[in-house]
Amino acid sequence: PRETCIAARGVIKHEPKAAVELQPPVEVHVTQWSLIGTSDADIENVVTQDSSVDKLLDARHLIIRGTNTSSIMKIRHNLIRSFREHFWAKRMAEVTPPTLVQTQCEGGSTLFSLDYYGEKSYLTQSSQLYLETCLASLGDVYCIMPSYRAEKSKTRRHLSEFTHIEAEYANITFEELLGRIEDMIVAVVSATVREAGDLIAFLNPSQLKEGATDPKDPNSWKFMPKKPFKRLPYADAIKFCNEHNIINPETDAPFKFGEDISDKPEREMVALIGECVLMTHFPASMKSFYMARDPADNTLTESVDVLMPGVGEIVGGSMRMWNLEELLGAYKKEELDPSTYYWYTDQRKYGGNPHGGFGLGLERLLVWMLNLDSVKDACLYPRYMGRCQP
């Protein structure tokens, strides 16, 4: 039956007729074989063409053996490798911050809380605050770690556990931060195409340029990001939406300054723009407490979201507050207990410097590269509201 494990010995011969999908133009002319592990005949009924999404996810341990899902996982591997090689080339240090924490980073509504030996603790929303503590000792740092968001959402963009590519840079300006994010995205996507372009072409053939013969050449791809990315201040994004009749679905009316451009209108906007966008300078009232204010307008932040056609936001970043008094004021405004953040505050108390960083959702980047239906398809065993198995 299908999925039986065998060992075979033979001669590999070139055979053009054997080339199908990802199968190379070769055949193995077997001279000896032996049975290693048998497979139960009920394998044919575990998953069928009529299986529901939930059934497919229940059988995810078998689904990952298939051509499509195994190709996604191979590309994911190469994408993570490309991120690491990019950071290594920039002489950045990889660190592994804790995922069990007692502070919030992105707002209390999406925290997973737990009892940690009698103390209230959480699963981390982001490793950013811990990365900042490393700048004085290690210089520029990054991590590739899981982050958790208790969002009661089943959209194609949301997971409860996702792979978070995060980096922090010391002694930089906001414009330098934008440049580093641009450089990283272009370099990482190009490196991944050079390693796994054939697999990407199998999953997303519509993005190959007409007449392209080498899918491992970055120039063969329509989606390849090009510098400079379009700069779009938040205020101009509001204006753009209203000029193009993109309505706020929350109010069923034109957008007003200070309102969040949510998933659907964000994707509509980027689709009309047709290229990678750096949306910048969000109002302070919309963003996290630690984000540095814009020197030209104290009501705005030096913040950025990277938006990609088809998926929307894949990166969120900013300059960080590095003045002690300013940070203490932010704690007070957000009604946060400064005592639990003492270690974060100390970074400003003992030798602070201008610094900034970002977080990138790996699964969202894969959705964009591979034209996947959902971030659930981009991870090994997805975790979201209602699913925590297998």
Side-chain angles (χ1 to χ4, degrees):
R2 186 161 56 91
E3 300 302 324
T4 295
C5 179
I6 66 169
R9 176 176 291 163
V11 179
I12 298 175
K13 294 186 178 180
H14 181 72
E15 176 48 72
K17 294 180 180 178
V20 179
E21 292 184 341
L22 294 173
Q23 169 65 42
V26 296
E27 288 182 342
V28 179
H29 290 234
V30 176
T31 56
Q32 291 179 297
W33 71 278
S34 62
L35 180 65
I36 304 298
T38 60
S39 177
D40 198 296
D42 71 0
I43 185 67
E44 303 297 340
N45 302 316
V46 172
V47 174
T48 69
Q49 287 187 330
D50 299 322
S51 294
S52 67
V53 171
D54 278 337
K55 178 65 175 176
L56 293 173
L57 288 170
D58 287 341
R60 185 76 172 170
H61 57 295
L62 299 176
I63 294 297
I64 58 177
R65 298 184 182 191
T67 305
N68 271 41
T69 307
S70 64
S71 296
I72 294 170
M73 293 302 109
K74 290 171 184 175
I75 295 166
R76 180 186 168 103
H77 152 71
N78 278 288
L79 186 57
I80 292 173
R81 172 184 169 181
S82 296
F83 272 110
R84 281 202 166 94
E85 290 180 343
H86 173 77
F87 291 135
W88 292 341
K90 302 297 181 182
R91 302 185 68 81
M92 296 176 67
E94 182 171 6
V95 294
T96 51
T99 55
L100 293 170
V101 301
Q102 292 187 320
T103 54
Q104 69 178 49
C105 186
E106 301 297 332
S109 63
T110 62
L111 284 167
F112 279 109
S113 59
L114 57 109
D115 185 305
Y116 187 73
Y117 302 107
E119 296 183 33
K120 189 169 185 178
S121 299
Y122 312 101
L123 295 178
T124 187
Q125 297 170 310
S126 165
S127 295
Q128 174 210 314
L129 305 188
Y130 291 97
L131 289 180
E132 289 184 57
T133 69
C134 300
L135 294 176
S137 57
L138 300 176
D140 298 344
V141 291
Y142 75 96
C143 69
I144 302 176
M145 299 281 288
S147 286
Y148 303 86
R149 304 285 169 89
E151 295 184 272
K152 294 182 178 179
S153 173
K154 292 186 178 181
T155 73
R156 67 190 292 266
R157 300 201 318 163
H158 290 95
L159 291 164
S160 295
E161 177 186 34
F162 65 98
T163 301
H164 214 171
I165 315 286
E166 298 184 88
E168 289 291 322
Y169 303 97
N171 296 304
I172 61 167
T173 65
F174 183 50
E175 190 58 36
E176 287 171 338
L177 174 64
L178 299 183
R180 294 190 190 195
I181 293 173
E182 275 182 336
D183 290 344
M184 177 195 68
I185 292 173
V186 172
V188 165
V189 173
S190 296
T192 304
V193 163
R194 284 191 287 269
E195 287 293 329
D198 54 335
L199 298 176
I200 299 171
F202 170 67
L203 291 162
N204 193 9
S206 66
Q207 283 295 313
L208 269 176
K209 292 179 181 176
E210 186 175 349
T213 57
D214 182 7
K216 292 189 175 185
D217 179 357
N219 294 318
S220 296
W221 291 92
K222 301 174 189 174
F223 66 47
M224 190 57 57
K226 296 178 177 62
K227 297 185 294 184
F229 294 0
K230 181 178 178 62
R231 264 65 164 173
L232 184 69
Y234 166 84
D236 291 346
I238 293 292
K239 184 179 178 182
F240 182 95
C241 287
N242 292 338
E243 288 177 346
H244 292 82
N245 298 314
I246 299 174
I247 300 298
N248 185 345
E250 301 295 324
T251 62
D252 200 28
F255 279 97
K256 296 178 181 178
F257 189 88
E259 293 178 344
D260 180 42
I261 303 175
S262 57
D263 178 17
K264 185 175 181 294
E266 184 178 77
R267 284 187 285 114
E268 289 179 33
M269 179 182 72
V270 181
L272 288 174
I273 294 171
E275 60 180 302
C276 304
V277 175
L278 295 173
M279 188 156 72
T280 64
H281 298 94
F282 290 84
S285 59
M286 296 175 59
K287 287 297 186 178
S288 298
F289 72 91
Y290 53 75
M291 292 192 178
R293 300 299 177 94
D294 178 8
D297 185 344
N298 195 51
T299 66
L300 304 179
T301 54
E302 289 189 312
S303 54
V304 59
D305 284 355
V306 180
L307 312 179
M308 298 300 233
V311 67
E313 180 195 346
I314 64 164
V315 175
S318 76
M319 296 298 288
R320 319 306 192 189
M321 285 185 181
W322 63 281
N323 177 274
L324 177 60
E325 295 304 319
E326 188 178 18
L327 182 61
L328 292 175
Y331 291 149
K332 185 175 182 180
K333 183 179 179 182
E334 297 297 321
E335 298 182 347
L336 298 172
D337 179 4
S339 65
T340 59
Y341 292 87
Y342 74 92
W343 49 273
Y344 186 67
T345 308
D346 279 354
Q347 305 307 308
R348 284 80 183 157
K349 189 176 180 181
Y350 304 114
N353 65 77
H355 62 283
F358 67 85
L360 178 148
L362 182 76
E363 289 81 9
R364 288 189 184 181
L365 183 58
L366 282 164
V367 166
W368 169 73
M369 287 183 67
L370 306 181
N371 193 30
L372 301 177
D373 291 333
S374 168
V375 288
K376 300 174 185 67
D377 300 324
C379 43
L380 190 61
Y381 291 102
R383 295 292 183 258
Y384 58 93
M385 185 176 67
R387 176 161 294 276
C388 196
Q389 64 173 352

